[in-house]
Amino acid sequence: MILRRWMAAGLVAVATAGVLNAVPATAQRPYDPTAQSLRALGQRHGLYVGTAVDMAALNDAAEPRYREIVRDEFSTVTAENVMKWESLEPTRGTYDWSAADELVATARRNGQKVRGHVLVWHSQLPKWLTDGVADGSIDNTELRSILRQHITTVASRYRGKIWQWDVVNEAVSDPWDTPSTLHYKGFWAEHLGPGYVADAFRWARAADPTALLFYNDYNIEAFGSGDPANDKTQFVYDMVKGLLARGVPIDGVGSQGHLGTQYGNYDTLQVADALHRFAGLGLSTAFTEVDVRSRLTDGVQAGDSEEINPRLQASAANFHVLLQACLAEPRCLSFTVWGFTDRHSWVPGTFDDPPQGLATIYDENYQPKRAYQVMKADLIYAGPPYVRMRATPKPRR
Ligand code: XIL
């Protein structure tokens, strides 16, 4: 009886080996999915599992585990900072490609796809650009041509090497901004008007015919009231629908997925519904920057397990919601976490009043947290009919 069960498991292992490319033909033991990496398990669904990469950590000789986990667990990578404008062109007219090139080369060695992040964003712009606009030495006509030049230069350099580009990032306001009616926000809209969004996609497409072109934003995990005046997901939905109607070459919507355990957040069905609705427009989707932070209360900081445990569990539950929803939509192509270890997470440095942290899937000592195990279980136990292989989109012209 026991022997028969083992033999059956062995057959399953052989049958799936071709797909997973991870079980040697000579395997003596039954296939153990829990011993597989996230990237191998994602491959069963055609889903790419990714992380943002901090180049300083990647190059730190004292951090071998960082490099190993990037290599072993993920099938797509995003530059956390080094493809942003301030990093690429710190001095006007002089591009420094070294760190970005290195990320692309590392990904190639590791057999990983690259999400390009980011071509147009109001944040982390070079000082020469924002100063020039502020002091009037760069007028709006010149600003538009500078933007066009930047998109063309960067997208051309990495033509054929980027899987998905975040062409425009965070163009839409939040209900807590002023005015509270949702609008196109920030530096680019203020100076060029909302038309820059369509321009950016057209310029990116002209420079790179093969990348999938994404609009990327946060707080668009689920629909709310349905009123575009206060429902950001609806506003973005209407925006991308309008772009498509005008023939703008947009291929996808990236949902960042920065959540916090102190908020209400969503359930799987709400998130899956949002992904299905974007997919219904003919767009791909992706989770692009997932992390789920928590308040670091005095108790948490003192190591009180009664305060820590519920936060770790709530964090894991939110990773689960987003990943399960992504699995349920065949046009959800990738699931990227914004850093994988609390040792190198942007959260404590950014959300420090009050202090927040514990946002990633490994702790500060590179031990997998409950969130990691939950992601693994989601990938293991998903399958037809509700979870199918990913669709393979063609870049829109
Ligand atoms: C963050 C990085 O993680 C930080 O290291 C940096 O100091 C600021 O930017 N949305 C985005 C990302 O699209 O580019 C941001 O990354 C996090 C929020």
Side-chain angles (χ1 to χ4, degrees):
M1 189 60 195
I2 288 176
L3 185 67
R4 275 180 56 189
R5 236 184 267 146
W6 273 58
M7 282 173 60
L11 281 178
V12 173
V14 172
T16 52
V19 182
L20 286 168
N21 205 14
V23 183
T26 54
Q28 297 295 309
R29 270 176 289 141
Y31 171 65
D32 176 9
T34 67
Q36 301 290 317
S37 64
L38 297 177
R39 72 180 285 177
L41 292 168
Q43 216 179 319
R44 299 173 61 228
H45 314 284
L47 178 74
Y48 286 80
V49 183
T51 184
V53 175
D54 170 350
M55 294 309 285
L58 191 76
N59 284 322
D60 186 340
E63 296 277 321
R65 280 302 285 148
Y66 189 90
R67 275 186 293 286
E68 287 164 8
I69 294 173
V70 168
R71 180 194 65 202
D72 295 343
E73 293 287 341
F74 301 101
S75 43
T76 173
V77 288
T78 307
E80 184 170 358
N81 286 301
V82 299
M83 284 191 189
K84 292 172 181 173
W85 199 334
E86 70 172 6
S87 305
L88 290 178
E89 196 187 8
T91 310
R92 188 170 184 179
T94 310
Y95 276 82
D96 176 359
W97 302 106
S98 51
D101 282 359
E102 193 194 328
L103 177 82
V104 172
T106 303
R108 194 190 165 93
R109 265 201 313 282
N110 290 342
Q112 294 160 324
K113 292 188 186 272
V114 180
R115 293 198 80 263
H117 179 81
V118 49
L119 294 175
V120 191
W121 190 27
H122 58 263
S123 187
Q124 294 182 278
L125 290 170
K127 200 166 152 21
W128 61 261
L129 181 68
T130 47
D131 282 357
V133 169
D135 70 19
S137 59
I138 296 174
D139 67 15
N140 291 345
T141 309
E142 189 183 0
L143 182 64
R144 188 166 183 273
S145 78
I146 290 173
L147 179 62
R148 179 180 193 155
Q149 186 65 47
H150 177 72
I151 292 174
T152 305
T153 303
V154 178
S156 302
R157 180 171 184 93
Y158 295 113
R159 182 184 340 194
K161 297 180 175 168
I162 301 291
W163 179 37
Q164 307 172 5
W165 259 120
D166 288 334
V167 177
V168 175
N169 195 32
E170 301 181 355
V172 178
S173 69
D174 294 284
W176 56 83
D177 289 334
T178 310
S180 64
T181 303
L182 295 184
H183 56 277
Y184 289 86
K185 74 171 180 197
F187 182 84
W188 297 105
E190 278 157 27
H191 296 287
L192 303 181
Y196 84 88
V197 174
D199 290 338
F201 279 93
R202 292 200 171 102
W203 295 332
R205 174 56 79 229
D208 185 344
T210 60
L212 296 171
L213 305 182
F214 273 68
Y215 175 75
N216 194 52
D217 214 330
Y218 60 90
N219 282 348
I220 57 166
E221 292 85 9
F223 283 88
S225 68
D227 178 355
N230 56 34
D231 179 345
K232 187 168 176 180
T233 309
Q234 187 66 48
F235 188 101
V236 169
Y237 180 90
D238 293 345
M239 176 185 81
V240 296
K241 193 175 173 193
L243 292 171
L244 288 167
R246 281 156 34 225
V248 175
I250 176 173
D251 299 300
V253 171
S255 182
Q256 293 182 0
H258 293 294
L259 301 180
T261 62
Q262 66 273 46
Y263 306 122
N265 299 324
Y266 312 104
D267 61 58
T268 303
L269 301 183
Q270 290 172 300
V271 179
D273 173 61
L275 297 179
H276 293 328
R277 282 163 74 176
F278 283 112
L281 295 175
L283 294 170
S284 296
T285 58
F287 282 104
T288 56
E289 307 186 10
V290 182
D291 55 13
V292 189
R293 61 188 186 269
S294 286
R295 288 278 312 278
L296 302 177
T297 60
D298 292 345
V300 169
Q301 294 190 48
D304 179 352
S305 60
E306 282 195 29
E307 295 215 13
I308 294 171
N309 286 335
R311 288 177 171 80
L312 295 179
Q313 290 174 31
S315 186
N318 282 295
F319 277 95
H320 164 70
V321 163
L322 299 189
L323 179 54
Q324 207 178 33
C326 180
L327 282 165
E329 171 44 65
R331 286 179 187 260
C332 184
L333 304 180
S334 54
F335 187 95
T336 293
V337 295
W338 204 244
F340 57 90
T341 166
D342 291 340
R343 193 183 189 93
H344 299 285
S345 162
W346 74 304
V347 168
T350 307
F351 303 90
D352 53 0
D353 185 21
Q356 298 182 47
L358 297 177
T360 73
I361 61 175
Y362 287 80
D363 71 13
E364 295 194 348
N365 300 313
Y366 295 111
Q367 293 306 304
K369 291 156 62 176
R370 184 169 295 257
Y372 172 89
Q373 308 295 2
V374 158
M375 282 185 63
K376 198 169 241 192
D378 283 336
L379 294 166
I380 290 171
Y381 297 118
Y386 297 117
V387 174
R388 290 172 286 136
M389 282 302 277
R390 308 297 93 182
T392 331
K394 277 211 183 69
R396 192 171 262 113
R397 296 282 138 185

